[in-house]
Amino acid sequence: MNIGQASAASGVSAKMLRYYEEIGLLPKAARTEAGYRVYSAKDVNTLRFIRRARDLGLSIERIKLLVGLWQDRERSSADVKRVATEHVAELDAKILELTAMRDTLQELADACHGDHRPDCPILHDFEGGGRSPEHRGTVTKDVRRGKGAAAGLPAGCHAG
Amino acid sequence: MNIGQASAASGVSAKMLRYYEEIGLLPKAARTEAGYRVYSAKDVNTLRFIRRARDLGLSIERIKLLVGLWQDRERSSADVKRVATEHVAELDAKILELTAMRDTLQELADACHGDHRPDCPILHDFEGGGRSPEHRGTVTKDVRRGKGAAAGLPAGCHAG
DNA sequence: CCTTGACCCTCCCATGGTGGGAAGCTCCAT
DNA sequence: ATGGAGCTTCCCACCATGGGAGGGTCAAGG
């Protein structure tokens, strides 16, 4: 099985296959004399595992952990569960953050008549005078962006 | 006002001030003879506007639009509202996506006893046999990652 | 006046996953 | 033998942000 076939069988692009190998998520694939990568049915299983994990938004780092546990017959399910639970917690945090943004913005949009006139509560809020505090404060606390979010959650986030 | 003071007054890092100028979100700042950037109180207002918009998760592209509308006395509030509403729609989509991931993973975690034994429904699902469909299908549809999400939503997403 | 330290400048690099594409080789079918 | 599909490596881009190197500037205190 060459890379194109493994890709088709697993739903992981050839590009990503090479990338996962490069970063050590996958072991280095065997090669033909000509240098073509060769994959087995077992490799395809691993790839499907990875694909499923990515679809659930897990980061590559966590998938590395899970693949390790998966292949360890001595693993304890508690370790697996912990990884999953950590990810759920991050998803929850991100959902809360996005929901707060959404709600604030929806409120502002609702307050905007949306006609030809220039007057607009959205811009008024952004101007940040803070003169209408009832429309502020929702996301104002410094939950702000930072490595945590970018490194932790992503996958589904950068995804598209 | 130099860049450090403008940064402190607006809550936007000096690094980002330079970046926003580079990508054309801000006009090129005036300079002292020594080459130091100089900012006015008006600039700080714009920066606060941008900061607020970023906190609500708007992409730089959309913020460019909003700043343009903000500074246009002839604008119609409908245009502003449309930009905001588009962003709300993207936030909603992302929230749905993350929630689906979260729910699936939480179900799997709930089903995992989490003790010393190796048997684990999470790994079982990831193995993807599809043998227990009641735990599948939630995120299985190909909503998958792609340019749209990365370009559209971000801010709060990459943020941290 | 000179030193010190805080500040500023530009330029490069990294993040996390993913896609795009160029330049060149291999394989298979015609 | 030729064409095209598929493989290889290598570099670039995304988005927004932070980190840091290497060097210039400014103001306060000695």
Side-chain angles (χ1 to χ4, degrees):
Chain A
M1 227 170 172
N2 62 27
I3 201 171
Q5 294 166 320
S7 168
S10 67
V12 177
S13 74
K15 213 83 183 186
M16 284 303 103
L17 279 186
R18 299 193 193 99
Y19 175 67
Y20 291 161
E21 180 178 328
E22 187 192 323
I23 63 172
L25 175 56
L26 297 173
K28 294 194 177 175
R31 303 284 188 130
T32 66
E33 287 184 10
Y36 283 25
R37 286 175 181 79
V38 177
Y39 297 90
S40 67
K42 194 186 156 196
D43 293 327
V44 171
N45 276 343
T46 305
L47 285 170
R48 280 209 262 255
F49 183 102
I50 292 172
R51 164 76 200 251
R52 172 73 173 148
R54 291 292 298 130
D55 283 349
L56 289 175
L58 283 112
S59 70
I60 298 285
E61 271 318 299
R62 268 203 254 267
I63 295 176
K64 269 187 196 171
L65 288 176
L66 289 180
V67 170
L69 289 169
W70 183 41
Q71 291 167 348
D72 175 8
R73 288 182 200 168
E74 312 277 319
R75 72 183 169 245
S76 55
S77 62
D79 289 340
V80 180
K81 186 169 181 169
R82 182 162 15 84
V83 174
T85 303
E86 282 169 11
H87 186 56
V88 167
E90 283 176 19
L91 285 168
D92 279 337
K94 182 56 80 182
I95 290 166
L96 275 181
E97 192 187 340
L98 296 184
T99 302
M101 292 175 179
R102 196 213 86 96
D103 290 348
T104 300
L105 214 44
Q106 183 68 63
E107 268 179 49
L108 290 171
D110 287 347
C112 175
H113 36 58
D115 58 16
H116 62 96
R117 286 171 297 172
D119 187 50
C120 175
I122 302 171
L123 296 181
H124 195 68
D125 174 288
F126 281 25
E127 232 158 44
R131 277 158 299 190
S132 47
E134 66 277 9
H135 287 310
R136 297 300 299 276
T138 316
V139 188
T140 307
K141 54 192 153 44
D142 224 336
V143 177
R144 301 190 32 80
R145 45 197 145 285
K147 201 158 212 172
L153 247 223
C157 192
H158 300 266
Chain B
M1 228 171 171
N2 62 27
I3 201 172
Q5 294 165 321
S7 168
S10 66
V12 176
S13 74
K15 213 85 183 182
M16 283 304 102
L17 279 186
R18 299 192 192 100
Y19 175 66
Y20 291 160
E21 179 179 328
E22 188 192 322
I23 63 172
L25 174 55
L26 297 174
K28 295 194 177 176
R31 304 282 188 131
T32 66
E33 286 184 10
Y36 283 25
R37 286 176 182 79
V38 178
Y39 298 90
S40 67
K42 195 185 154 197
D43 293 328
V44 170
N45 276 342
T46 305
L47 285 169
R48 280 210 263 253
F49 183 100
I50 292 171
R51 165 74 201 254
R52 172 72 173 149
R54 290 292 300 128
D55 282 350
L56 289 175
L58 283 112
S59 70
I60 298 285
E61 271 319 301
R62 269 203 253 267
I63 295 175
K64 270 188 196 171
L65 288 175
L66 289 179
V67 170
L69 289 169
W70 183 41
Q71 290 167 349
D72 175 7
R73 288 180 200 171
E74 312 277 319
R75 74 184 168 244
S76 54
S77 62
D79 289 340
V80 179
K81 187 169 182 169
R82 183 163 13 87
V83 174
T85 303
E86 282 170 9
H87 186 56
V88 167
E90 283 175 18
L91 285 168
D92 279 337
K94 182 56 80 183
I95 291 165
L96 275 181
E97 191 187 340
L98 296 184
T99 302
M101 292 175 179
R102 196 213 87 96
D103 290 348
T104 300
L105 214 44
Q106 184 68 61
E107 269 180 47
L108 291 171
D110 286 347
C112 174
H113 35 58
D115 57 17
H116 61 96
R117 287 171 298 172
D119 188 51
C120 176
I122 301 171
L123 296 181
H124 194 68
D125 174 287
F126 281 25
E127 235 159 38
R131 274 159 303 192
S132 47
E134 65 277 9
H135 287 309
R136 298 299 300 276
T138 315
V139 189
T140 306
K141 54 194 153 49
D142 224 335
V143 178
R144 299 183 41 74
R145 43 198 147 288
K147 201 156 213 174
L153 243 223
C157 192
H158 299 266

